[in-house]
Amino acid sequence: MSRAHHYHQPNAPDPQSDESDSDLELELRELDPHTSDGGHGRSGAQYSSQAGQGRIERQIPLRSLRVGRSTGVERESHKFRDDDESAYAEESLRGLNNENTTSEDSHGSFSAVEDETPLLSNKTSLTPPNGTHENTQRGTFSPLRLFSFMRGGFDSSNPQRGDTGGRHGGGSSRTISIGQYPPPRFPPNAVSNAKYTAWSFLPRTLYNEFSFFYNLYFLLVALSQIIPFLRIGYLSTYIDPLAFVLTITLGKEALDDIGRRRRDSEANKEEYTVLRFHDSMQDRSGGAKRAKAFPARSKKNNGISLSSKRTRLDAIEEEEESMGGDRTDSLSNIEVDEVRIRSRDLKVGDVLKLSKDQRIPADLVILKSYPTESAATASDLGTSGAHARGTPGSGKRTEPKTNQSESTESSNISRDIEGAGETFIRTDQLDGETDWKLRLASPFTQSLDPRSFTQIRLVAAKPDRKVNEFFGTVEYSPQRMSVSAAPNGSGTQSQKDDKSIQNAPLTIDNTAWANTVLASNATVLAVVVYTGAQTRQALSTSASRSKNGLLDYEINNLTKILFALTLTLSVVLVALEGFEPRDNEKWYVAMMKFLILFSTIIPISLRVNLDMGKSVYARFIERDQGIPGTVVRTSTIPEELGRIEYLLSDKTGTLTQNEMELRKIHVGTVSYANEAMDEVTSYIRQSFSAASSDVMQPSSLFTPSSTYHTSSAGASTTRTRREIGSRVRDLVLALALCHNVTPTTEEADEHSFTTYQASSPDEIAIVRWTESVGLRLMHRDRHSMTLQAVDTSRVVVRVRILDVFPFTSDGKRMGIILQFSQGNESTAVPADSREIWFYQKGADTVMTSIVAANDWLDEETANMAREGLRTLVVGRKKLSSQQYQEFSSRYKQASLSIQHRDSSMARVIKDHLERDLELLGVTGVEDRLQKDVKPSLELLRNAGIKIWMLTGDKVETARCVAVSAKLVSRTQYIHTITNLPIDLSASAATDALSLLRSKPDSTALLIDGNSLSHFLTYHQEAFISLAVLLPAVIACRCSPTQKADVAKLIRQFTRKRVACIGDGGNDVSMIQAADIGVGIVGKEGRQASLAADFSITQFHHLTKLLVWHGRNSYKRSAKLAQFVIHRGLIISVCQTVYSISTHFQPHALYRDWLLVGYATVYTMAPVFSLVLDRDVDEALANLYPELYKELTSGATLSYRTFFIWVAVSIYQGSIIQGLSQILVGSVDPSQRMVSVSFTVLVINELIMVAFEVVTWHWIMTASLLGTFAMYAGSVPFLGDYFDLGYVWSWGFVWRVVAISAISLVPPYSMKILRRTLKPPSYRKVQGI
């Protein structure tokens, strides 16, 4: 059966009017008197008289007529589902019209004239081919006008159906219809931090690998062995190592990316509650009911004839009974189900039901919000549709409700619920701001029944990265239905009547962006408008990139030098022969063979060792019990942790816990902090507990003018103490009233408790403090506020809120005008005689000129600022009724100004209120720092790391945190640059930086986002060249994109290593732009952690990650790389000496297994064991962070150290091969000479490893001894290369010992001498 609720549109105006036929047209109220505001029409009376017994005053419901007419309006051709239903619908309407004009008996048949005069020109089509909605053929009953529900399947102006998804792409505005099926085609709502896809993995990884010169060199050498005349030894000797390196590298990248995908999958699988709208009547109707509602009928002469035993009204009555006696409007048939859907499956147009502390998975527009305790009441509106209709088949009827009445009822309920339509969200994961943001539902949608959401259409602007801007409209039409399309293709007609449409604008106040958190104790219904890559969060996040360490680039440069050396040797050896062909080989073939022979100078095992070493370092980091929960997500750059020179840190959640606490107050003559707060509590208890102890007596209400009461011992109380108590009471009362905090009640574990909601955590901290000292905020709504004494639980203060002036970044203050109730709760004082007070609190920079003259404010605020406390100055002013009325009228007049409205309103406030306020006191609020932040920052500064704090928070907040965290020392001056004008000249910009240029070492910079953007746009080089020299920079009000731009700029300008650390989604771009990205697993989510290279759980873990693991990883990798180069260079020198001795012949000295075994079995383990070496222990590394500072100079692996190792390699290679040929007495590659030379080569390498070890590990010892034993045990199997009989002779032994001594003693002696004359820093701190 058709969906009746799509067509029952009470009070809907006629979409068209025809003045010429107005007297003959059949009006809507004549068909259904329930839809008319007037009494029953003539048609209704006739129905009542003709129906007979049992049908007294029964009107024919228009819904039934529309059901019969509209069941088939659906497919692209807009045809009826079957001809029978179409014909019956036509018969019904013609019959009704016939009753109105001829009063013919309903049991009779229609005449031929009636049959030949159809209502529609084509009974199988509702819309003419030209798309108009006119009835093109008029017959006898042509004045019967077609209503909107009969005209055409779709309105051309209604974009909500059909191709919505195809027409609205990501780059244009979009129209969203709630409940639309199938949903529009927009990006999937999936979080993805993966670097690769299945298609891009191999191309990107191979490109990254072969972008390094040494990998490309290895590839060319391996490919050269495919050419027969260039082949030297086994083909596998060159192919297998390269394949092994690529397998290890690609495997690591694949595992890292698989890990990212798994973590993304966890976030994408998070489930959310989504509302699903469906038609209950269609669900309950079936073939039997359809047959009953539409009995058998036959076609005749293009008309319809009914059985003589059944009337048209009988069919209508049976239809109503089959539908459960439903007479309600369209909403009564819609049911709302709650289903759980994974985050990645959310679509644009889905309606989410969210509760407190839930992360918002996509960009949403809030439709409805109500306190959680009222959720059941509000929920009943959307889920009781079936119950409102009565029990099917019971015969009971419920009076139909029009859309207007139902909307009014919902609106009344919404107004009755306190706080309805309002909610707070936390955006610190999006923009870094700690203040909670107030979000509102549109008045249109807030007052609607959730079932009416199907009549809503939203138009949203194209996706944008601006998190503080949104433009859209919401359109509500009672005649629009979006649940009409069903999966099977069936559906009902989508309607639109321009006269009934209501529009309202949507702004940023109506939105909740992805990755924010619902902070209110409320239930929020919101519709998805942007998903996946089109959310504000994703658009503000840069794409992930493959990161390579600086060490890799340095080694790449060194291999270029080695290649140049190899090429030079090859050319020289060929040139010495005069470029003459030899052994039927061209000179260039000989040169190519020399290049291949000397390819061991750039050992392919270098990359293998380094990659395996990185995996070991990552394992050490993850298994360190001192930093539990640390995860290495990018295992290719752990040594970069030892090269950091700039650290860019977020504030909220990274340096601070975002938990505010009021630590200190000052009332002019005395300050209170810590244990002294108990005295404040006693003052408040004495002041507000003077009411009668009889609980049956109404409590007295206090006002600021009330006399301060003392305890029973008050007679002996000094006058000074009473004055101080009065001041304390006034300050506490002001703090308890001057705010925008709303108390809410929550339940947990069957216990109820009060929580507070506000836009700023500072205000919540202050209200909590007032409760802790004895004055609790009991109730607040938009018009009133009630305070309760904690010790007596009595209401002591009741005020009416007259005006609120919220905090703004420009004004830096907030105020409130209150009217105090007087007397007690049982007696009412006339409003004219009630006290009116103006309270205001704000930053000392603006309040100093507002409060009355005093001699202590500047000094105390400076003292609190030095302690890192966020100061607020509190003042008040009493207003007479006349003063308030004058202000109110002027203020209202200013608020109506078309131009300069904000400045006019501010001027009125300043002229009437902000003059000579009574100074009540100063408060100091502390944002709690993360554990061990202060010592961690100090240690990092001593390690030579310059720290920048980039935050989206306010200037004052950033300054206080910088001071309290010791990011800026007390001896450093903070130079502040804020609110630079857009048209600032170049000279003015230079002047703003002049102070920094004069004292760069003792000055810190504090700059806001707008000023930073100006410098980066117009004076980039001048700004960054000066900023990188400063010990600390604090940038506030920064967008995620600005954070990333700063990180990129520092990298590009300084060529130094930059690390970024953060915990929020707003830090992802910065983390990915850095050389090293560190994410903290925050309270609000893991997005920063998932996108980072390293994930930690606490900020202070960063010190160990850098100073200990970073330092060790870099020094070990540097030593390992140089040793692998030495190992390959020394064997190449031996080959060079041999080639010179053989008259420059390109013949191999060591072949096949000897060449492969030397780089693997015989030296691999000892050399690789250097990854376990360390020069100092962890305690010394933390005690002397200057050891870390040495690494930033790059002295550990530099051209100087490289050429020292080259010189050592040339010396040792020349000695080993030269003395082997001399002592053995053979130049040809005899087995005796090879056995002596190769044995010395292996022994030399093992002993050199032992010389380099600083701190021995048992694995090192085992690898050295085990490798030597393995070599000795393999000698009997090397008969193809060695003279085994000679090996076991004393002649072999003494030659090996002598050559080894000559090769090893001089380099070791030079090392001892250098350590003695210029000991390294680690030996100094060890006292060696």
Side-chain angles (χ1 to χ4, degrees):
M1 181 167 293
S2 299
R3 303 181 183 184
H5 63 268
H6 288 281
Y7 306 99
H8 186 33
Q9 300 168 354
N11 299 330
D14 295 327
Q16 290 182 355
S17 62
D18 190 343
E19 296 297 336
S20 62
D21 298 330
S22 59
D23 294 334
L24 299 176
E25 290 178 348
L26 181 62
E27 294 296 333
L28 174 63
R29 60 179 176 271
E30 296 174 341
L31 288 177
D32 191 357
H34 279 283
T35 64
S36 176
D37 293 335
H40 299 298
R42 178 173 58 86
S43 177
Q46 289 179 354
Y47 300 154
S48 180
S49 62
Q50 294 178 5
Q53 295 81 2
R55 296 178 186 167
I56 299 176
E57 294 184 359
R58 175 181 297 175
Q59 291 84 23
I60 298 175
L62 181 61
R63 172 192 50 74
S64 300
L65 302 180
R66 293 175 177 172
V67 167
R69 161 58 58 194
S70 59
T71 42
V73 185
E74 51 179 17
R75 306 183 188 277
E76 294 180 359
S77 61
H78 301 178
K79 293 183 178 180
F80 283 106
R81 185 172 291 128
D82 56 60
D83 292 338
D84 291 341
E85 293 181 12
S86 172
Y88 180 67
E90 291 178 331
E91 180 275 342
S92 300
L93 288 174
R94 285 204 303 270
L96 289 174
N97 192 63
N98 185 53
E99 284 186 324
N100 292 334
T101 56
T102 66
S103 301
E104 186 176 339
D105 186 83
S106 61
H107 290 272
S109 303
F110 291 106
S111 66
V113 175
E114 292 170 346
D115 293 340
E116 294 173 355
T117 311
L119 180 65
L120 300 177
S121 60
N122 186 351
K123 68 180 180 181
T124 60
S125 177
L126 289 177
T127 307
N130 61 4
T132 63
H133 303 298
E134 301 286 344
N135 185 11
T136 58
Q137 295 185 13
R138 293 180 181 266
T140 304
F141 301 101
S142 60
L144 179 60
R145 185 176 63 243
L146 296 184
F147 299 103
S148 60
F149 64 88
M150 300 179 195
R151 298 199 190 119
F154 300 96
D155 189 337
S156 61
S157 63
N158 186 359
Q160 69 181 5
R161 293 282 305 273
D163 62 346
T164 302
R167 293 188 306 158
H168 297 286
S172 63
S173 61
R174 58 188 61 184
T175 302
I176 303 164
S177 296
I178 298 176
Q180 179 175 317
Y181 187 93
R185 298 176 182 176
F186 293 115
N189 192 52
V191 176
S192 178
N193 290 293
K195 293 182 179 179
Y196 312 104
T197 65
W199 300 104
S200 66
F201 176 73
L202 279 178
R204 287 186 60 186
T205 51
L206 290 178
Y207 174 80
N208 291 334
E209 289 303 307
F210 292 114
S211 61
F212 286 96
F213 174 79
Y214 52 80
N215 280 340
L216 183 62
Y217 176 74
F218 298 151
L219 177 63
L220 294 176
V221 170
L223 293 177
S224 70
Q225 296 305 289
I226 300 176
I227 303 175
F229 60 84
L230 292 180
R231 184 174 300 171
I232 299 176
Y234 296 141
L235 180 63
S236 59
T237 303
Y238 299 91
I239 298 295
D240 290 351
L242 179 62
F244 179 73
V245 168
L246 293 178
T247 301
I248 292 295
T249 304
L250 268 63
K252 286 172 74 282
E253 285 290 320
L255 289 176
D256 289 345
D257 214 49
I258 290 173
R260 296 187 191 96
R261 289 185 176 274
R262 287 176 178 172
R263 292 184 289 272
D264 290 342
S265 179
E266 294 177 3
N268 291 329
K269 287 181 179 179
E270 186 176 357
E271 292 188 345
Y272 290 85
T273 300
V274 176
L275 303 187
R276 284 287 184 254
F277 306 89
H278 65 93
D279 183 2
S280 61
M281 297 310 301
Q282 186 181 23
D283 296 341
R284 289 185 294 185
S285 62
K289 293 183 178 180
R290 183 181 300 277
K292 184 176 180 181
F294 298 95
R297 45 201 178 264
S298 62
K299 298 180 182 179
K300 183 179 180 181
N301 298 328
N302 293 330
I304 304 171
S305 62
L306 295 176
S307 171
S308 61
K309 297 182 180 180
R310 293 179 56 82
T311 67
R312 182 174 57 259
L313 296 178
D314 290 332
I316 293 174
E317 179 186 9
E318 290 182 6
E319 180 189 351
E320 288 183 349
E321 292 176 354
S322 69
M323 298 177 69
D326 182 17
R327 282 176 173 267
T328 59
D329 64 358
S330 59
L331 296 182
S332 62
N333 292 336
I334 294 183
E335 288 187 353
V336 182
D337 293 334
E338 295 182 0
V339 296
R340 300 287 291 177
I341 293 182
R342 292 178 295 187
S343 174
R344 68 183 180 189
D345 295 329
L346 294 175
K347 307 292 184 183
V348 172
D350 281 344
V351 177
L352 271 63
K353 182 179 180 180
L354 300 168
S355 56
K356 183 179 181 182
D357 293 332
Q358 269 196 291
R359 183 185 68 87
I360 295 175
D363 286 357
L364 310 177
V365 167
I366 298 174
L367 300 176
K368 194 178 185 71
S369 174
Y370 42 83
T372 300
E373 57 266 21
S374 304
T377 302
S379 179
D380 289 343
L381 293 174
T383 58
S384 61
H387 301 290
R389 292 187 297 271
T391 304
S394 65
K396 298 180 180 180
R397 298 181 182 273
T398 58
E399 291 300 324
K401 294 181 181 179
T402 64
N403 280 356
Q404 182 178 358
S405 63
E406 193 158 359
S407 177
T408 302
E409 177 185 347
S410 177
S411 179
N412 292 336
I413 292 175
S414 178
R415 284 194 297 266
D416 291 340
I417 299 174
E418 295 176 4
E422 299 179 355
T423 189
F424 286 98
I425 60 172
R426 293 196 296 268
T427 63
D428 51 329
Q429 298 294 301
L430 179 68
D431 55 19
E433 296 187 18
T434 57
D435 290 357
W436 292 7
K437 305 296 188 303
L438 176 64
R439 291 295 185 258
L440 305 170
S442 173
F444 279 158
T445 58
Q446 176 64 27
S447 61
L448 290 179
D449 185 311
R451 291 172 291 172
S452 298
F453 289 168
T454 56
Q455 299 171 331
I456 293 174
R457 186 171 68 189
L458 286 83
V459 178
K462 65 179 181 180
D464 196 339
R465 69 173 57 184
K466 298 178 181 178
V467 297
N468 295 320
E469 288 185 8
F470 175 73
F471 301 100
T473 58
V474 57
E475 182 180 287
Y476 172 66
S477 175
Q479 297 185 3
R480 179 185 296 115
M481 290 294 168
S482 299
V483 295
S484 53
N488 61 5
S490 63
T492 52
Q493 187 174 355
S494 179
Q495 305 298 334
K496 181 178 180 181
D497 189 339
D498 293 338
K499 295 182 180 180
S500 64
I501 293 175
Q502 301 179 17
N503 294 314
L506 293 175
T507 66
I508 186 65
D509 293 332
N510 308 119
T511 63
W513 298 143
N515 214 38
T516 58
V517 178
L518 188 63
S520 298
N521 184 28
T523 298
V524 172
L525 303 181
V527 61
V528 178
V529 290
Y530 305 112
T531 55
Q534 293 182 352
T535 61
R536 294 300 200 269
Q537 174 66 44
L539 292 174
S540 299
T541 303
S542 59
S544 59
R545 62 185 180 91
S546 298
K547 296 182 180 181
N548 295 299
L550 182 60
L551 183 69
D552 292 331
Y553 292 106
E554 291 173 342
I555 292 176
N556 192 57
N557 292 333
L558 296 181
T559 55
K560 293 178 182 179
I561 297 176
L562 293 176
F563 174 74
L565 178 61
T566 302
L567 183 61
T568 301
L569 281 174
S570 302
V571 172
V572 168
L573 291 177
V574 173
L576 291 177
E577 286 295 313
F579 295 100
E580 294 292 334
R582 178 178 299 182
D583 297 335
N584 297 324
E585 289 183 348
K586 298 294 183 179
W587 65 268
Y588 51 83
V589 174
M591 188 179 70
M592 291 295 297
K593 284 188 174 182
F594 275 124
L595 282 174
I596 296 170
L597 286 173
F598 296 149
S599 64
T600 53
I601 290 181
I602 309 174
I604 197 169
S605 58
L606 174 63
R607 188 60 188 270
V608 177
N609 281 272
L610 289 178
D611 286 348
M612 293 178 63
K614 293 174 181 179
S615 298
V616 172
Y617 308 147
R619 184 70 171 170
F620 287 162
I621 293 172
E622 293 183 336
R623 292 174 62 90
D624 191 338
Q625 297 301 317
I627 47 176
T630 301
V631 179
V632 179
R633 306 198 190 280
T634 305
S635 58
T636 58
I637 53 175
E639 69 278 351
E640 291 298 282
L641 293 170
R643 309 287 295 276
I644 301 302
E645 294 192 49
Y646 291 90
L647 175 65
L648 276 57
S649 174
D650 179 41
K651 179 189 72 70
T652 307
T654 304
L655 298 178
T656 68
Q657 302 179 34
N658 198 23
E659 294 180 2
M660 310 299 174
E661 182 181 5
L662 194 148
R663 300 297 301 272
K664 190 175 184 179
I665 66 170
H666 198 287
V667 293
T669 56
V670 63
S671 64
Y672 298 92
N674 303 322
E675 293 80 6
M677 291 297 183
D678 295 337
E679 189 172 353
V680 176
T681 304
S682 66
Y683 284 134
I684 299 302
R685 183 180 296 112
Q686 292 175 15
S687 178
F688 291 100
S689 62
S692 173
S693 60
D694 187 356
V695 296
M696 301 301 295
Q697 295 293 328
S699 59
S700 299
L701 297 178
F702 291 83
T703 69
S705 300
S706 300
T707 305
Y708 175 74
H709 299 277
T710 60
S711 61
S712 58
S716 59
T717 304
T718 64
R719 178 180 178 182
T720 302
R721 183 171 179 83
R722 287 196 300 271
E723 291 178 354
I724 294 176
S726 178
R727 289 184 180 182
V728 170
R729 183 203 65 177
D730 291 342
L731 176 61
V732 173
L733 180 61
L735 295 175
L737 293 173
C738 185
H739 53 71
N740 62 359
V741 180
T742 302
T744 59
T745 302
E746 297 184 9
E747 292 187 2
D749 300 330
E750 299 182 355
H751 296 286
S752 61
F753 57 93
T754 300
T755 59
Y756 297 107
Q757 299 175 1
S759 62
S760 172
D762 293 48
E763 298 210 315
I764 294 179
I766 292 174
V767 172
R768 283 177 177 168
W769 177 81
T770 62
E771 180 181 4
S772 68
V773 298
L775 199 56
R776 177 187 294 127
L777 176 62
M778 181 181 177
H779 168 82
R780 177 179 180 150
D781 55 32
R782 297 179 183 178
H783 308 291
S784 64
M785 204 180 327
T786 303
L787 302 183
Q788 180 188 57
V790 174
D791 57 337
T792 62
S793 298
R794 288 177 174 272
V795 174
V796 293
V797 177
R798 193 184 300 276
V799 297
R800 178 188 173 197
I801 301 175
L802 301 180
D803 291 285
V804 177
F805 314 106
F807 179 90
T808 62
S809 299
D810 295 331
K812 300 180 182 179
R813 58 193 183 275
M814 73 87 59
I816 188 170
I817 300 178
L818 303 171
Q819 187 177 44
F820 285 80
S821 298
Q822 297 174 249
N824 54 51
E825 293 183 283
S826 63
T827 60
V829 177
D832 294 341
S833 61
R834 295 177 183 176
E835 297 181 12
I836 300 177
W837 288 82
F838 168 63
Y839 287 96
Q840 190 172 57
K841 65 181 180 184
D844 59 288
T845 53
V846 296
M847 292 294 291
T848 301
S849 59
I850 295 175
V851 298
N854 60 88
D855 58 356
W856 59 271
L857 179 59
D858 292 339
E859 181 181 357
E860 291 303 325
T861 53
N863 291 337
M864 290 187 183
R866 280 191 289 269
E867 297 176 19
L869 301 178
R870 300 159 73 163
T871 58
L872 283 176
V873 179
V874 185
R876 69 178 182 181
K877 182 177 185 179
K878 189 174 182 179
L879 303 175
S880 65
S881 297
Q882 181 179 358
Q883 288 176 322
Y884 175 72
Q885 292 300 330
E886 183 181 355
F887 160 77
S888 182
S889 61
R890 293 285 302 277
Y891 188 72
K892 183 178 180 180
Q893 182 180 0
S895 65
L896 298 177
S897 301
I898 301 300
Q899 296 180 345
H900 310 294
R901 177 182 302 173
D902 292 340
S903 59
S904 299
M905 295 167 65
R907 190 178 305 109
V908 172
I909 296 174
K910 182 177 181 181
D911 294 340
H912 290 77
L913 301 179
E914 295 179 339
R915 289 176 179 271
D916 295 327
L917 266 64
E918 178 188 354
L919 177 59
L920 298 178
V922 182
T923 65
V925 177
E926 179 187 41
D927 188 354
R928 294 182 181 177
L929 300 176
Q930 293 280 4
K931 180 182 178 182
D932 295 334
V933 163
K934 294 180 183 179
S936 298
L937 292 177
E938 183 179 2
L939 188 148
L940 294 175
R941 276 200 305 271
N942 292 335
I945 299 176
K946 293 182 172 63
I947 304 172
W948 291 36
M949 185 175 75
L950 309 180
T951 177
D953 221 329
K954 299 185 291 291
V955 175
E956 293 78 8
T957 304
R959 181 194 299 271
C960 292
V961 172
V963 173
S964 61
K966 306 301 181 186
L967 179 64
V968 178
S969 65
R970 294 187 177 183
T971 59
Q972 291 176 344
Y973 170 73
I974 301 179
H975 181 58
T976 304
I977 301 177
T978 58
N979 299 322
L980 288 183
I982 299 177
D983 55 350
L984 185 71
S985 63
S987 59
T990 304
D991 293 340
L993 300 175
S994 59
L995 180 62
L996 299 176
R997 192 174 291 106
S998 61
K999 297 181 179 179
D1001 296 331
S1002 59
T1003 306
L1005 173 63
L1006 174 62
I1007 187 170
D1008 66 349
N1010 292 334
S1011 303
L1012 178 63
S1013 177
H1014 179 87
F1015 279 114
L1016 296 184
T1017 303
Y1018 301 105
H1019 313 284
Q1020 185 180 97
E1021 185 174 354
F1023 173 77
I1024 196 64
S1025 61
L1026 187 57
V1028 295
L1029 302 177
L1030 303 177
V1033 175
I1034 303 102
C1036 49
R1037 293 296 184 188
C1038 287
S1039 66
T1041 304
Q1042 281 182 317
K1043 292 183 178 183
D1045 291 342
V1046 170
K1048 293 176 183 177
L1049 189 59
I1050 296 176
R1051 288 177 52 223
Q1052 295 170 0
F1053 184 83
T1054 64
R1055 303 293 179 182
K1056 305 293 184 181
R1057 299 291 94 180
V1058 177
C1060 294
I1061 182 171
D1063 74 317
N1066 61 312
D1067 303 318
V1068 171
S1069 295
M1070 175 179 69
I1071 286 173
Q1072 293 179 340
D1075 297 299
I1076 290 289
V1078 182
I1080 298 179
V1081 180
K1083 297 179 181 179
E1084 316 303 339
R1086 303 174 57 192
Q1087 189 166 355
S1089 169
L1090 295 176
D1093 304 308
F1094 299 87
S1095 172
I1096 59 179
T1097 57
Q1098 296 287 336
F1099 180 85
H1100 70 274
H1101 292 170
L1102 181 65
T1103 58
K1104 187 172 187 179
L1105 193 64
L1106 298 182
V1107 175
W1108 175 242
H1109 289 290
R1111 183 175 183 274
N1112 286 340
S1113 298
Y1114 173 63
K1115 289 185 69 67
R1116 290 165 176 172
S1117 288
K1119 182 179 290 186
L1120 180 63
Q1122 293 177 125
F1123 219 94
V1124 172
I1125 292 175
H1126 162 74
R1127 185 179 62 185
L1129 192 58
I1130 191 174
I1131 195 174
S1132 297
V1133 172
C1134 292
Q1135 175 67 51
T1136 302
V1137 172
Y1138 173 73
S1139 297
I1140 294 174
S1141 302
T1142 57
H1143 303 286
F1144 314 108
Q1145 293 292 333
H1147 296 160
L1149 172 62
Y1150 307 120
R1151 291 179 174 272
D1152 306 334
W1153 168 250
L1154 294 184
L1155 195 62
V1156 175
Y1158 171 76
T1160 56
V1161 177
Y1162 299 144
T1163 60
M1164 175 71 176
V1167 172
F1168 187 70
S1169 68
L1170 291 174
V1171 300
L1172 302 173
D1173 191 23
R1174 55 186 175 88
D1175 52 2
V1176 295
D1177 57 21
E1178 183 179 349
L1180 282 177
N1182 291 328
L1183 185 61
Y1184 299 101
E1186 292 79 9
L1187 294 174
Y1188 182 91
K1189 188 175 182 179
E1190 290 182 344
L1191 303 184
T1192 59
S1193 63
T1196 306
L1197 178 62
S1198 61
Y1199 289 116
R1200 175 178 172 275
T1201 58
F1202 169 73
F1203 285 112
I1204 289 176
W1205 277 101
V1206 169
V1208 172
S1209 300
I1210 292 175
Y1211 167 77
Q1212 291 184 332
S1214 302
I1215 292 296
I1216 291 172
Q1217 184 59 32
L1219 290 182
S1220 295
Q1221 294 177 177
I1222 294 174
L1223 295 180
V1224 174
S1226 174
V1227 175
D1228 294 331
S1230 64
Q1231 291 182 335
R1232 288 191 174 187
M1233 187 269 291
V1234 170
S1235 61
V1236 171
S1237 174
F1238 190 78
T1239 301
V1240 174
L1241 190 64
V1242 171
I1243 293 175
N1244 179 86
E1245 201 64 21
L1246 296 180
I1247 296 177
M1248 285 293 292
V1249 170
F1251 286 168
E1252 292 299 315
V1253 174
V1254 177
T1255 303
W1256 283 91
H1257 192 280
W1258 67 268
I1259 294 180
M1260 295 179 177
T1261 305
S1263 64
L1264 285 170
L1265 297 179
T1267 299
F1268 182 76
M1270 188 178 297
Y1271 175 73
S1274 66
V1275 168
F1277 303 96
L1278 301 178
D1280 293 341
Y1281 311 101
F1282 291 175
D1283 183 348
L1284 298 181
Y1286 179 72
V1287 168
W1288 304 114
S1289 65
W1290 284 107
F1292 171 82
V1293 174
W1294 75 261
R1295 287 179 173 82
V1296 168
V1297 172
I1299 296 173
S1300 298
I1302 298 174
S1303 171
L1304 291 168
V1305 171
Y1308 185 70
S1309 300
M1310 293 295 295
K1311 183 177 182 179
I1312 295 297
L1313 181 62
R1314 187 173 66 253
R1315 285 183 178 179
T1316 303
L1317 298 178
K1318 189 179 180 181
S1321 298
Y1322 73 87
R1323 296 182 67 87
K1324 294 178 181 178
V1325 300
Q1326 288 177 333
I1328 300 176

